Amino acid sequence: MSRRRGSRRMTPARSPWWAKGFVGFGAVLMVVSLATVGYAQVLLNQVNDAITTDDLLGDDSEPGGDLTGPLNFLVIGSDMRDDWDSAHSDSIMIVHVNETLTSANIISVPRDLYVTIPDCGDLYTSPCQSKVNDAFAAGGKDAAASVQNLAQTLTSHTGITFDGAAMINFDGFADMVETLGSVELCVPFDMTLAHPKGTFVEKGCKDYDARLALGIVRERYSYGPETPGWTPEWGIGDFGRQHMQQHFIKQLLKRAKDLGYMTDPTKVGTLIEGIGDQMLLDLGGRSVIDFAFALRGIDPTALTTIRIPSEPMDINGTSYVVTQPGPQEIAAEALYAAVRTDDLSAWVGKNPDWVNNDK
């Protein structure tokens, strides 16, 4: 595989452990939309130089002809401490692009999903049954080894193979919201946030600055039956937070689109500078430009967001997320098959309970 390694910049440890990988793919899709602009080539060259690429999946293959679908990307949100070799996996997403490269779906993989890990490294005797997040940790401090181990574990569990991968660090998250001025979030019920501690936010749709948006997207303790107004469709704990995170990326992209950041080069250049060094991509030897032109038909604000059928469960005193036998297992296996056969639209229609719906 042809590689282009950018310089790995040292960044301060500002981002908390809840970093959101899905935002990174949204950022890529924002870049993708630039392909419709007449002077896109100049801007895309700027993007290509700004984002670091590497062989994360270890396939070392040379790209073929035209880029064709369907495509599956593994997106990992990382709490990067000093550099990419000391990153931690905190959010895991599968992004599926259909055969015609006109639509995308985001599938959240719970970090605590109970799976069989073929290579457990020094953590446990291999193979082992543990949280899927442990597959990344078993790779040690080598980012590529960690991504490969996670990808192999997910392939073993779902049968889904990956065409590319992305690691995202979100030290720059607050800066993105500040660049856009604010982001509208629709809070499903009254919440008292853990960060900033004790901050009360009311139910409803409202523009939030970076500080409060950060707190809302971080929140997980409010999602449960003890909170007045909470309903099961928003999920418990981390499931609720995943739902809000997916809502956030749609709203962030909508705001960027409304403000012209997808078409105005004087604006998008500023945004790219804040995103590029927060991303490490494996695009199968292709450049960001290749993907930008191939995926230009996707509307980044029309993403379908999906949860893997599962629920929290205690096993020997440890909290996991488990796909239960019966309807959950049937729906989960159908989901994985739908990704493999590029038939997600049919699955979404039959399984509305596992599709996140917001405004």
Side-chain angles (χ1 to χ4, degrees):
M1 167 178 164
S2 172
R3 303 185 187 182
R4 180 184 61 80
R5 295 176 183 267
S7 60
R8 295 182 176 180
R9 306 180 188 178
M10 303 292 285
T11 56
R14 291 188 291 129
S15 87
W17 58 269
W18 50 269
K20 300 158 289 301
F22 60 91
V23 181
F25 193 79
V28 172
L29 292 181
M30 288 166 64
V31 170
V32 163
S33 67
L34 293 173
T36 61
V37 185
Y39 34 68
Q41 187 68 40
V42 174
L43 298 177
L44 290 172
N45 278 326
Q46 177 185 352
V47 173
N48 203 51
D49 291 338
I51 299 176
T52 302
T53 62
D54 206 344
D55 182 12
L56 295 176
L57 292 174
D59 53 13
D60 201 33
S61 59
E62 293 290 340
D66 293 341
L67 188 63
T68 58
L71 300 168
N72 296 310
F73 298 92
L74 175 60
V75 180
I76 301 160
S78 177
D79 178 8
M80 188 179 72
R81 307 300 170 86
D82 295 315
D83 56 31
W84 293 111
D85 292 335
S86 59
H88 294 253
S89 167
D90 291 300
S91 296
I92 304 169
M93 313 288 289
I94 297 171
V95 178
H96 176 80
V97 179
N98 68 349
E99 182 178 9
T100 57
L101 307 180
T102 55
S103 69
N105 299 274
I106 298 177
I107 303 167
S108 292
V109 180
R111 296 174 305 146
D112 294 344
L113 186 67
Y114 192 62
V115 298
T116 297
I117 303 174
D119 182 0
C120 304
D122 297 330
L123 299 176
Y124 310 102
T125 301
S126 299
C128 63
Q129 290 183 305
S130 189
K131 300 178 180 183
V132 70
N133 198 39
D134 286 339
F136 186 91
K141 293 185 177 181
D142 185 308
S146 296
V147 173
Q148 289 168 34
N149 202 44
L150 177 58
Q152 290 164 6
T153 297
L154 286 172
T155 296
S156 177
H157 185 73
T158 67
I160 298 169
T161 57
F162 297 99
D163 304 286
M167 287 183 64
I168 315 298
N169 176 57
F170 276 90
D171 274 347
F173 164 67
D175 292 338
M176 290 174 62
V177 178
E178 288 174 358
T179 297
L180 297 175
S182 63
V183 61
E184 183 186 42
L185 296 178
C186 295
V187 178
F189 42 81
D190 292 349
M191 292 183 183
T192 300
L193 305 179
H195 304 280
K197 187 175 181 179
T199 301
F200 177 78
V201 293
E202 293 184 344
K203 173 183 178 180
C205 300
K206 178 182 175 182
D207 276 6
Y208 291 95
D209 62 18
R211 180 170 174 267
L212 280 181
L214 203 71
I216 293 169
V217 177
R218 289 180 68 179
E219 182 61 33
R220 65 186 176 95
Y221 299 108
S222 295
Y223 296 96
E226 67 281 357
T227 300
W230 173 84
T231 53
E233 60 264 24
W234 267 92
I236 296 176
D238 277 335
F239 285 92
R241 176 164 53 184
Q242 286 178 17
H243 194 163
M244 178 55 71
Q245 289 172 348
Q246 292 176 331
H247 169 65
F248 163 78
I249 184 56
K250 288 185 177 181
Q251 295 300 96
L252 186 67
L253 294 174
K254 181 177 182 294
R255 177 58 54 88
K257 185 176 182 180
D258 290 345
L259 294 179
Y261 278 88
M262 295 182 179
T263 55
D264 186 338
T266 63
K267 290 185 174 183
V268 79
T270 301
L271 200 60
I272 299 259
E273 289 177 0
I275 295 172
D277 63 354
Q278 309 293 340
M279 304 177 69
L280 179 62
L281 302 182
D282 180 349
L283 300 178
R286 299 178 185 273
S287 70
V288 177
I289 296 173
D290 292 334
F291 273 83
F293 279 97
L295 304 182
R296 63 189 180 275
I298 295 177
D299 179 357
T301 63
L303 303 175
T304 300
T305 54
I306 297 167
R307 294 174 290 135
I308 289 179
S310 56
E311 63 184 60
M313 180 178 177
D314 185 277
I315 301 177
N316 298 325
T318 300
S319 178
Y320 294 93
V321 171
V322 179
T323 296
Q324 300 289 354
Q328 280 187 13
E329 186 175 40
I330 292 171
E333 291 301 323
L335 170 62
Y336 305 147
V339 175
R340 297 193 302 266
T341 61
D342 192 30
D343 195 23
L344 264 176
S345 59
W347 185 91
V348 167
K350 294 177 182 178
N351 296 274
D353 289 346
W354 300 106
V355 179
N356 288 335
N357 297 308
D358 45 49
K359 76 178 281 240

